[in-house]
């Protein structure tokens, strides 16, 4: 309900309850009056702790009774209220507590004369005003504001809307407060004054927490990317369409260093720290070839990149690759303006060239570049935040992060490490490996990984047990062999269990089937029963689950 | 789950059963079947015993070949033996069982069984 909102004080519900309690001096449930006073006190303290649901129900349930009680207490507090109905009481409450009232004090005030149906809504709306009301209702009003204020702070987070309403209601409520207590008013006013400080921060708690600085950076990167992309949009489309073409092709290329000099310009922002590290070694590889390129960097990405490619390609020793590289480079140059996807292409091409002689360089390079871009972009998100990352991202997939890393590093000052020579490729692969480590989740295909890893992880548990039981050092190949044996064993196990369950005419495998299986394996004999084995080999917690045991109360667990 | 006590072992072994993994494996293999609640614990027990046997066997093989390290071949041979043993046992059991059954039913009939019992009782009485 709109009216239902928290006051800084004890929950509105509690307040409302108190209001209700205090608001019904006339209802027949007089005997509760004694309780009402205690209730009120309790409400004040416990309100904040009570659960909303409880209070609501209780409030509603007790509304009737509370009314009477409230009235009685209220009467005590304010003598002139005796003849008033609950409605009038609530109305007074609302009037006197403009700030705390929930959003629409006027609306609440108006329906005062309305039928009782309105009262419950009013009650809720007056929850906020409850705080204010309390002071007026109870003689211990002096305490109320103090209590209310801290209580409000507790709920300041929820006050945003409420505060607005309160502020709005303040001027409105003043008018109808003909009979409102000045003290209550002031107390409420004080409360309201106190609250405005908080709501401002409260009003947008989510936004307050966001780091604005990040936005600025992203914007800058975004603009840069826009610039790049605007130049060659079509290429992006092309590149994006082949998200996976690269993975297969690019994987071998992964050694080749990324050559995204031009992305470097974009990626200047990106944290090149680690990249620089990776690129450092790469740089060294390529340094002879492209010191100038490194310097050129952003502005002449294309040229430098092409040069870099050429130089690296030539330096590398893959003569064949040089040719395809230039082709790829040219293509990349055209697309240079793009988000650096082309850069990734170039990188891909460059990387591919040196690393992969088998593949049709020109074609694969292009495809790889595109694919890498696609993949890079797909994977990129993790790597970098800006568009700059896109290019680097594209590179990363193929060169397994070595490219993107180097790209990013390059971007700063150096030029991308164009496909380094095969020797350099090897070297680059080394830096790539640590980069790879950094970006482990850059699989060519996401499918197999999740399927295999958990399976291997589960099997590794038994492999460790194997090595534990063997009590002797083991070779790695032996462990792999154990894994295969376990695989086969599990298959046999499942087949056997299926047969047993089918034999029993069941579709669920029960422990009896397991026992039969172990019997057939010779583990369970007439001398050695299943329970003995369970006790021997399983920990206590599992034993308790498997072996029925009698407990107190003539109960057996697990039940049979 | 409780960790195993360190009994002359440098590393601790977790005795926890990978219940989720077992359930998943079973589901993958036989999606049409269901596994009961504590069934996977017994499967784990079975795996434990299997691995135990395998380890013992491969250890024996390694010791026989006087190697300090367990090799692939040892493990392979152990696996073969273990599976053969299981098959042999199963077959043997099956044969024995069928033999006993056949013998029993050949020797006695249902109706004869009871009269025979009564005869004994009568005799003693």
């Amino acid at each position: 309900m709109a009216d239902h909102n928290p006051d800084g004080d004890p929950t509105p519900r509690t307040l409302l309850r108190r209001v209700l309690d205090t608001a019904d001096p006339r209802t027949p449930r007089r005997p509760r009056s004694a309780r009402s006073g205690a209730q009120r006190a309790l409400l004040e303290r416990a309100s904040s702790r009570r659960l909303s649901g409880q209070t609501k129900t209780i409030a509603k349930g007790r509304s009737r009774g509370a009314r009477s009680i409230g009235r009685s207490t209220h009467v005590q507090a304010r003598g002139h209220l005796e003849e008033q109905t609950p409605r009038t009481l609530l109305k007074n409450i609302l009037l006197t507590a403009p700030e705390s009232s929930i959003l629409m004090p006027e609306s609440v005030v108006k329906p005062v004369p309305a039928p009782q149906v309105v009262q419950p809504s009013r009650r809720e709306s007056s929850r906020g005003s409850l705080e204010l009301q309390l002071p007026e209702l109870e003689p211990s009003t002096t305490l109320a504001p103090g209590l209310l204020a801290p209580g409000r702070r507790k709920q300041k987070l929820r006050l945003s809307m409420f505060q607005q309403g309160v502020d709005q209601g303040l001027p409105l409520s003043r008018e109808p407060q003909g009979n409102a207590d000045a003290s209550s008013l002031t107390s409420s006013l004080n409360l309201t004054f106190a609250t405005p400080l908080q709501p401002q921060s409260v009003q947008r708690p989510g936004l307050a927490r966001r780091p604005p600085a990040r936005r600025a950076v992203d914007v800058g990167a975004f603009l840069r990317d826009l610039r790049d992309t605007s130049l060659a949009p079509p290429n992006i489309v092309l590149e994006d369409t082949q998200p996976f073409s690269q993975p297969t092709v690019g994987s071998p290329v992964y050694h080749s260093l990324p050559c995204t000099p031009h992305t470097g310009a974009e990626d200047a922002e990106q944290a090149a720290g680690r990249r620089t590290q990776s690129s450092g070694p790469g740089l060294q590889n390529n340094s002879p070839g492209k010191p100038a390129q490194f310097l050129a960097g952003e502005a002449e990405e294309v040229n430098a990149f092409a040069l870099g490619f050429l130089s690296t390609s030539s330096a590398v020793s893959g003569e064949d690759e040089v040719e395809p590289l230039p082709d790829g480079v040219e293509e990349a140059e055209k697309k240079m303006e793009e988000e650096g996807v082309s850069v990734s292409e170039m990188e891909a091409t460059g990387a591919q060239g040196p690393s992969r002689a088998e593949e049709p360089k020109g074609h694969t390079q292009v495809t790889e570049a595109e694919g890498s871009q696609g993949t890079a972009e797909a994977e990129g998100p993790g790597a970098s935040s800006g568009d700059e990352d896109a290019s680097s991202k594209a590179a990363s997939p193929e060169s397994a992060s070595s490219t993107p890393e180097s790209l990013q590093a390059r971007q700063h000052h150096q030029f991308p490490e164009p496909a380094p020579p095969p020797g350099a490729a090897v070297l680059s692969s080394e830096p790539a490996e640590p980069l790879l480590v950094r970006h482990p989740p850059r699989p060519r295909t996401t499918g197999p990984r999740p399927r295999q890893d958990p399976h291997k992880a589960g099997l590794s548990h038994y492999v460790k047990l194997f090595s534990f039981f063997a009590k002797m050092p083991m070779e790695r190949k032996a462990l792999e062999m154990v894994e295969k044996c376990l695989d086969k064993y599990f298959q046999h196990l499942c087949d056997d269990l299926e047969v047993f369950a089918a034999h029993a005419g069941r579709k669920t495998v029960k422990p009896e089937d397991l026992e039969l299986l172990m019997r057939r394996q010779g583990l369970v004999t007439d001398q050695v029963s299943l329970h003995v084995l369970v006790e021997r080999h399983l920990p206590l917690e599992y034993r308790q689950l498997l072996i029925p045991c009698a407990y107190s109360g003539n109960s057996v667990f697990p039940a049979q | 789950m409780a960790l195993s006590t360190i009994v002359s072992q440098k590393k601790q072994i977790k005795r926890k059963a990978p219940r989720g993994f077992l359930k998943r494996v079973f589901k993958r293999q036989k999606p049409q079947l269901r596994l009961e609640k504590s069934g996977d614990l017994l499967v784990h027990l079975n795996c434990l015993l299997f691995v135990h046997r395998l380890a013992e066997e491969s250890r024996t093989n390694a010791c026989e070949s006087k190697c300090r390290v367990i090799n692939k071949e040892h493990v392979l041979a152990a696996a073969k033996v273990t599976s053969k043993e299981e098959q042999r046992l199963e077959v043997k059991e099956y044969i024995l069982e069928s033999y006993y059954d056949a013998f029993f039913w050949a020797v006695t009939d249902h109706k004869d069984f009871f009269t025979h019992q009564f005869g004994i009782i009568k005799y003693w009485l």
Side-chain angles (χ1 to χ4, degrees), chain A residues 242 245-246 249-250 253 324 328 331 345 348-349 352-353 356-372 398:
Chain A
Q242 299 175 11
S245 64
Q246 172 125 41
V249 181
V253 186
E331 293 176 356
E345 285 183 349
T349 55
Q352 297 172 4
R356 279 252 168 189
E358 312 88 90
E359 297 165 3
K361 309 280 168 61
H363 178 68
T364 49
Q365 284 172 357
V366 177
T367 48
E368 284 185 9
E370 295 177 350
S372 61
E398 42 180 70

Side-chain angles (χ1 to χ4, degrees), chain A residues 22-230:
Chain A
T22 57
D24 289 336
R26 289 205 170 177
T27 53
R29 292 200 205 162
R30 284 280 169 156
R32 276 212 200 168
S33 60
R35 261 177 61 195
S36 63
Q39 278 181 357
R40 264 184 292 163
L42 286 173
L43 284 171
E44 276 189 354
R45 290 168 223 136
S47 62
S48 52
R49 296 167 211 132
R50 285 214 197 151
L51 300 176
S52 60
Q54 293 173 5
T55 52
K56 266 189 194 165
T57 50
I58 298 170
K60 289 192 180 169
R62 289 192 202 158
S63 62
R64 323 275 194 302
R67 265 185 255 165
S68 56
I69 298 166
R71 276 202 192 165
S72 55
T73 52
H74 190 75
V75 170
Q76 297 162 13
R78 312 180 62 181
H80 68 278
L81 289 176
E82 286 177 12
E83 60 279 17
Q84 289 182 2
T85 61
R87 290 193 198 103
T88 54
L89 290 172
L90 281 173
K91 178 186 175 181
N92 289 337
I93 293 169
L94 295 169
L95 295 178
T96 54
E99 306 88 12
S100 54
S101 65
I102 309 206
L103 302 170
M104 321 288 236
E106 335 126 306
S107 59
V108 176
V109 170
K110 281 176 193 174
V112 164
Q116 262 198 330
V117 178
V118 181
Q119 283 194 0
S121 62
R122 255 189 262 158
R123 296 220 181 112
E124 290 160 353
S125 60
S126 64
R127 277 183 208 167
S129 57
L130 279 178
E131 308 170 17
L132 304 171
Q133 241 192 356
L134 295 172
E136 36 177 41
L137 292 177
E138 298 183 17
S140 60
T141 7
T142 51
L143 298 175
L147 288 172
L148 292 173
R152 276 201 180 176
R153 280 175 212 127
K154 290 179 207 167
Q155 302 179 357
K156 65 178 173 182
L157 283 179
R158 292 183 274 164
L159 276 176
S160 56
M161 294 302 294
F162 180 76
Q163 287 302 329
Q164 294 168 8
V166 168
D167 294 339
Q168 293 167 8
L170 239 189
L172 296 168
S173 56
R174 275 186 207 171
E175 300 165 359
Q177 286 174 0
N179 47 359
D181 292 343
S183 63
S184 63
L185 243 189
T186 49
S187 63
S188 61
L189 287 175
N190 293 337
L191 293 169
T192 48
F193 290 143
T195 48
L197 298 174
Q198 294 150 357
Q200 277 160 22
S201 62
V202 171
Q203 277 174 9
R204 312 284 244 202
L207 294 178
R209 292 182 210 124
R210 288 197 191 160
R214 200 170 115 209
R215 290 246 171 120
V217 174
D218 294 344
V219 169
F222 177 68
L223 290 174
R224 255 178 300 187
D225 292 326
L226 267 183
R227 204 175 18 126
D228 296 339
T229 49
S230 62

Side-chain angles (χ1 to χ4, degrees), chain A residues 270-515:
Chain A
Q270 297 180 359
R274 22 176 213 158
R275 308 239 167 88
T276 43
Q277 295 169 13
S278 58
S279 57
L283 269 184
Q284 294 162 11
N285 301 333
N286 309 318
S287 55
K290 5 181 175 132
Q293 298 159 4
F294 287 105
L295 301 175
E298 299 88 29
E300 304 157 352
E301 311 158 351
V302 180
N303 300 334
F305 193 74
L307 287 175
F309 270 125
L310 292 171
S311 61
T312 48
S313 59
S314 55
V316 173
S317 75
E319 291 84 6
D320 334 332
E321 305 157 2
V322 177
E323 285 155 12
L325 283 176
D327 299 338
V329 172
E330 288 170 2
E331 293 176 356
E333 290 181 355
K334 290 173 195 169
K335 309 174 189 179
M336 287 296 279
E337 303 314 326
E338 294 179 283
E339 301 177 326
V341 179
S342 60
V343 174
S344 57
E345 285 183 349
M346 291 193 293
E347 299 171 357
T349 55
Q352 297 172 4
S355 55
R356 279 252 168 189
E358 312 88 90
E359 297 165 3
K361 309 280 168 61
H363 178 68
T364 49
Q365 284 172 357
V366 177
T367 48
E368 284 185 9
E370 295 177 350
S372 61
Q373 279 184 358
T375 47
E377 287 176 353
E379 303 171 12
S384 46
S385 50
D387 290 346
E388 309 168 351
D389 300 333
S391 58
S392 56
K393 293 175 196 176
S396 56
E398 42 180 70
S399 57
S401 70
S402 60
T403 349
E405 325 258 354
S406 54
L407 289 180
Q408 293 171 358
R410 299 290 159 65
Q411 297 160 359
H412 287 273
H413 329 280
Q414 324 150 356
F415 260 105
E417 310 168 285
V426 174
L427 293 173
S428 55
S429 63
E430 290 172 2
E433 285 170 7
L435 296 176
L436 273 180
V437 173
R438 250 180 287 166
H439 302 277
R442 300 269 178 104
R444 315 291 175 252
T445 46
T446 52
R449 184 162 168 272
R451 181 182 65 84
Q452 200 58 12
D453 283 357
H455 192 71
K456 284 259 165 75
L459 282 181
S460 67
H461 181 81
Y462 290 109
V463 173
K464 281 187 205 152
L465 280 171
F466 180 93
S467 58
F468 173 77
F469 287 137
K471 296 183 177 55
M472 274 172 68
M474 302 193 52
E475 287 182 356
R476 282 193 201 279
K477 294 202 183 144
L479 293 175
E480 289 169 10
M481 178 63 51
V482 171
E483 259 185 40
K484 286 186 203 156
C485 290
L486 276 172
D487 246 340
K488 278 196 206 148
Y489 164 78
F490 275 122
Q491 286 173 14
H492 286 311
L493 183 88
C494 291
D495 293 334
D496 287 345
L497 289 177
E498 184 184 12
V499 167
F500 294 156
H503 178 73
R506 282 187 260 109
K507 287 213 177 148
T508 313
V509 175
K510 294 212 155 165
E512 293 93 46
D513 301 331
L514 265 294
E515 173 156 10

